[in-house]
Amino acid sequence: MNLESTLRVKRDAGKKLLVPYVTGGLGAAWLDVVRAVALAGADAIEIGIPFSDPVMDGRTIQEASQRALDIGATPAGIAADLSRLDIDVPLVVMTYYNPVQHAGHERFAAQLVAGGVDAAIVPDLPLDELDGWGDAADAAGIETVLLAGPTTGDERLQRICERTRGFLYGVALMGVTGERDHLAGQAKVMGQRCKAATDKPVLLGLGISTPAQAAEAADAADGVIVGSALVRRLLEGGGPEEAGAFVASLRAGLDADSVSG
Amino acid sequence: MSAPVRGDEVRLGPPGPPPQARGRFGEFGGRFVPETLIPALEELEAEFRTAWTSPEFRSEFAGLLSGYAGRPTPVTECRRLSEILGVRVLLKREDLTHTGSHKINNVLGQALLTRRMGKQRVIAETGAGQHGVATATAAALFGLECIVFMGAVDVERQALNVFRMELLGAKVIPVNSGSATLKDAINDALRDWVASVETTHYCIGSVVGPHPYPWIVREFQRVVGDEAREQCRGMLGGKDPDYVVACVGGGSNAIGTFAGFLDTDARLVGVEAAGLGLESGKHGASMSRGVPGVLHGARSLFLQDEDGQILEAHSISAGLDYPGVGPEHAALAASGRATYASADDEEALSGFQLLSRSEGIVPALEPAHALGWLQREAGNSVPLGSTVLVTLSGRGDKDAMQVAERLTGEPLE
């Protein structure tokens, strides 16, 4: 099953979806972190392939990306590491367009396939510029997830929904990745707009940092993506155990909510 | 039409050609940005398309260029320098504009667009501080809130410009990420813009960034080349110079200059920063040593490693310390209409001193690269007796302290 069918099955069974983000190559134990996150109840896992100039990312993921690059993380190396994973959870890489086009669309897609990756998010490659990579990814069986933002108009949202694969990434706030004290007011509106526009799974991401925020956001969508709150714990020295515990707390927040609500 | 003279009203030439579909210059350009920014770029493009053919907008822009920025700027015949180099040197004097560099042309245009779009806040990136000062100036003139992102390294080496921006009411935010220079200032400006786009205009200072910026900035800067062409023809008996030379960081003064000469027989030469030398790996020569890539919203040439990670640039001049170049330059190089060369830190310092001593004009370190290139190439690739127009994109006051320390080896008291 590809990413979209996996997520659909779980959603249709009444489950709220949880997709944690882990920066690839962040420390020698990073694959153990991915395993722990999988065991703790992730429905898919987003793997960041670090880029030198991540303009959609706030301080936490910037720092994680830089640390990973400093200790030698490369797209090919991360894909090779992922191929050694023995987990049954779909993988979605998140990176920027320059490393993709530099490797070459077909070659990059082939590396992902070899790494057992199901899908890719390239946030600086909007709908209008998607063609080269989008076609190569489709041909290789890599699902390219598109983002829709609070500023996206209805007509454009419709086109994004049609073209996205895997799921629709609803950008839950105006800004870059990073933890926030409160869930942005735009999050629920975004979730509702996206849900009204497509039957594909809708996940909200950006600024979702706690179990309570995750549950609140998931009310308006099919699930959430949580990045900075997890990566900060890793930057502060947390290992697989702490990562697993945090993801389990997010899982519990989502499950309690879907049971009660 | 007579050549523009200082004190005249500014007469804008006709608009130049827009880029091809999807903001392309050949294979370069485009709009590679997060989805959140797309509507704002579409709005800006539509606004500019209307404004740039509107007689009212053009007349207001021209009025600001003459009444506020002090245009037209002269072309100066450099008699002593010409004698020394054996080529006839003409300088387009952007150093004489208000705020001391060509950057004012673009920001006045973008400030007018900001007002038309009903936005109250502008953000900008700056390297040497010239664009930051220009943006802060226009923001003060138009009563806009102004935030300038500047690499922490540049804040250090351009302290005077930081003070000028603050004096003008702008807030300067030092950027510590990455190489803490211009590239990182653009990253943080983009991050701010993703959050603030509904109320804020991003006033990009060069012909870089997503479509429509490379087009807009070229059009607001083409007054440099349009004026210079007419002025040169006035001085050269109707002829064009043999060479038209400008320094290239992102490339706004060069593209503005070249725009006026594309349809002539003049050879167009862009001069990049070779830093400590092209072989040292510490330079800003993205045309010579870069490969196609996508950064800051556009496909162009960038310095990058084998995995597509962007490399740090190096130059003595903060304004050329950028690992990329505007997409239209990449296209001009690909088509062969313009050629791109480089001058290293030492050659720039030499050009800096040469113009100061021979003509009594202290250039900014950025155009000092163009002068350093000419000093090296006159009598070599540039035949003796040639006529060469060099755009003096800015004045060197901001660099005086840094050059003094460099030449004497100790800090100025």
Side-chain angles (χ1 to χ4, degrees):
Chain A
M1 276 206 301
N2 66 7
L3 174 66
E4 182 174 333
S5 357
T6 307
L7 295 180
R8 272 180 185 274
V9 166
K10 293 187 173 189
R11 176 193 64 184
D12 295 346
K15 194 176 179 203
K16 290 295 180 186
L17 306 170
L18 174 60
V19 180
Y21 168 102
V22 175
T23 300
L26 181 61
W30 82 271
L31 280 183
D32 293 332
V33 170
V34 174
R35 286 187 190 100
V37 165
L39 276 175
D43 297 301
I45 302 174
E46 203 181 316
I47 306 292
I49 294 183
F51 177 52
S52 53
D53 295 83
V55 295
M56 261 306 280
D57 287 306
R59 296 282 166 235
T60 302
I61 292 178
Q62 284 176 47
E63 190 186 333
S65 300
Q66 194 55 55
R67 271 203 215 174
L69 289 173
D70 289 346
I71 56 174
T74 65
I78 288 169
D81 284 356
L82 289 174
S83 71
R84 302 203 307 270
L85 268 181
D86 40 11
I87 57 172
D88 192 24
V89 175
L91 300 175
V92 186
V93 300
M94 188 283 197
T95 190
Y96 288 82
Y97 185 50
N98 199 52
V100 175
Q101 68 83 37
H102 191 84
H105 296 145
E106 282 75 18
R107 187 165 150 242
F108 196 85
Q111 278 178 357
L112 297 186
V113 170
V117 171
D118 300 88
I121 303 172
V122 190
D124 59 347
L125 194 62
L127 185 63
D128 327 77
E129 300 286 359
L130 189 63
D131 41 11
W133 162 252
D135 294 347
D138 281 355
I142 296 291
E143 298 162 82
T144 302
V145 177
L146 296 186
L147 297 87
T151 55
T152 305
D154 289 338
E155 186 270 337
R156 190 176 165 86
L157 176 59
Q158 203 53 57
R159 287 191 291 135
I160 290 171
C161 288
E162 280 159 25
R163 184 60 186 85
T164 193
R165 311 264 190 266
F167 61 89
L168 175 65
Y169 191 135
V171 176
L173 53 75
M174 296 290 293
V176 295
T177 60
E179 293 176 80
R180 307 289 199 280
D181 291 338
H182 305 284
L183 188 68
Q186 286 130 335
K188 293 211 152 189
V189 179
M190 201 60 217
Q192 287 154 1
R193 285 187 63 209
C194 291
K195 283 298 292 170
T198 183
D199 178 50
K200 292 176 182 171
V202 172
L203 295 171
L204 292 176
L206 264 62
I208 298 169
S209 332
T210 66
Q213 289 175 6
E216 195 185 342
D219 266 349
D222 297 320
V224 295
I225 299 163
V226 178
S228 297
L230 172 56
V231 171
R232 173 177 56 79
R233 287 167 164 84
L234 302 173
L235 289 176
E236 288 170 356
E241 229 165 89
E242 186 169 353
F246 176 61
V247 171
S249 75
L250 294 170
R251 179 80 268 163
L254 289 174
D255 291 348
D257 201 61
S258 50
V259 169
S260 69
Chain B
M1 190 167 92
S2 62
V5 175
R6 203 146 212 225
D8 280 0
E9 289 298 307
V10 166
R11 294 172 309 227
L12 296 177
Q20 297 131 337
R22 298 200 301 165
R24 290 303 199 275
F25 301 92
E27 64 168 296
F28 301 102
R31 186 177 280 164
F32 297 87
V33 294
E35 177 62 30
T36 306
L37 295 179
I38 296 284
L41 293 169
E42 287 174 346
E43 179 196 13
L44 179 63
E45 180 184 350
E47 199 68 48
F48 177 69
R49 255 178 220 284
T50 313
W52 199 225
T53 52
S54 138
E56 295 75 28
F57 182 90
R58 294 174 69 79
S59 143
E60 191 170 7
F61 180 49
L64 284 168
L65 290 177
S66 54
Y68 188 71
R71 304 199 72 88
T73 59
V75 166
T76 298
E77 174 97 50
C78 295
R79 293 203 166 73
R80 294 193 62 220
L81 180 61
S82 299
E83 204 165 295
I84 294 166
L85 296 181
V87 296
R88 184 173 178 184
V89 184
L90 306 175
L91 288 184
K92 178 59 174 165
R93 300 292 305 280
E94 295 303 296
D95 60 315
L96 292 178
T97 56
H98 178 45
T99 74
S101 86
H102 71 290
K103 296 291 188 188
I104 191 75
N105 305 325
N106 167 45
V107 298
L108 289 173
Q110 289 204 43
L112 285 171
L113 287 177
T114 306
R115 198 181 63 190
R116 276 176 76 103
M117 292 185 292
K119 291 181 170 178
Q120 285 300 317
R121 178 176 180 265
V122 289
I123 55 173
E125 81 295 341
T126 198
Q130 295 302 90
H131 175 59
V133 167
T135 307
T137 299
L141 181 66
F142 282 75
L144 303 168
E145 182 188 352
C146 179
I147 310 287
V148 179
F149 294 90
M150 188 171 188
V153 169
D154 295 334
V155 167
E156 190 72 25
R157 60 182 165 179
Q158 298 288 348
L160 181 60
N161 271 343
V162 173
F163 178 70
R164 289 169 78 195
M165 287 183 266
E166 288 169 348
L167 196 61
L168 291 160
K171 185 173 173 199
V172 179
I173 301 184
V175 176
N176 286 297
S177 59
S179 54
T181 59
L182 181 55
K183 162 179 88 79
D184 311 286
I186 297 177
N187 287 343
D188 266 19
L190 284 169
R191 290 178 184 123
D192 179 293
W193 206 35
V194 171
S196 65
V197 64
E198 289 166 306
T199 58
T200 297
H201 174 64
Y202 180 12
C203 184
I204 291 189
S206 192
V207 285
V208 301
H211 176 57
Y213 282 105
W215 172 36
I216 292 181
V217 178
R218 180 247 277 160
E219 288 299 291
F220 288 153
Q221 292 292 2
R222 69 175 303 124
V223 65
V224 176
D226 284 339
E227 279 179 13
R229 183 190 60 244
E230 297 310 315
Q231 291 165 320
C232 286
R233 286 178 181 174
M235 298 166 87
L236 303 174
K239 293 208 168 94
D240 296 309
D242 300 312
Y243 290 83
V244 171
V245 184
C247 63
V248 176
S252 68
N253 91 85
I255 214 80
T257 305
F258 293 174
F261 291 90
L262 280 180
D263 297 334
T264 72
D265 291 333
R267 290 179 186 220
L268 309 178
V269 182
V271 181
E272 296 189 293
L276 301 181
L278 290 182
E279 306 311 320
S280 70
K282 292 181 180 296
H283 56 76
S286 40
M287 299 291 296
S288 315
R289 294 301 161 98
V291 295
V294 171
L295 183 72
H296 298 150
R299 181 173 175 81
S300 190
L301 297 170
F302 296 98
L303 303 176
Q304 49 190 312
D305 71 11
E306 63 276 13
D307 292 314
Q309 309 293 350
I310 304 299
L311 298 171
E312 291 182 17
H314 169 87
S315 172
I316 188 172
S317 129
L320 302 185
D321 206 342
Y322 182 64
V325 66
E328 195 170 6
H329 283 296
L332 287 173
S335 74
R337 179 61 191 96
T339 54
Y340 294 84
S342 60
D344 65 21
D345 288 355
E346 293 303 326
E347 289 167 331
L349 281 169
S350 175
F352 185 91
Q353 295 171 87
L354 177 65
L355 188 69
S356 301
R357 287 182 189 169
S358 62
E359 297 292 336
I361 299 171
V362 180
L365 276 172
E366 290 80 15
H369 285 74
L371 296 160
W373 172 84
L374 185 58
Q375 187 179 11
R376 184 183 80 213
E377 294 301 328
N380 293 308
S381 72
V382 177
L384 294 177
S386 305
T387 300
V388 183
L389 173 75
V390 178
T391 295
L392 193 62
S393 55
R395 65 176 183 231
D397 308 43
K398 70 182 172 63
D399 300 314
M401 177 104 51
Q402 188 195 351
V403 172
E405 291 177 12
R406 177 73 180 249
L407 294 179
T408 61
E410 45 195 77
L412 273 192
E413 286 304 319

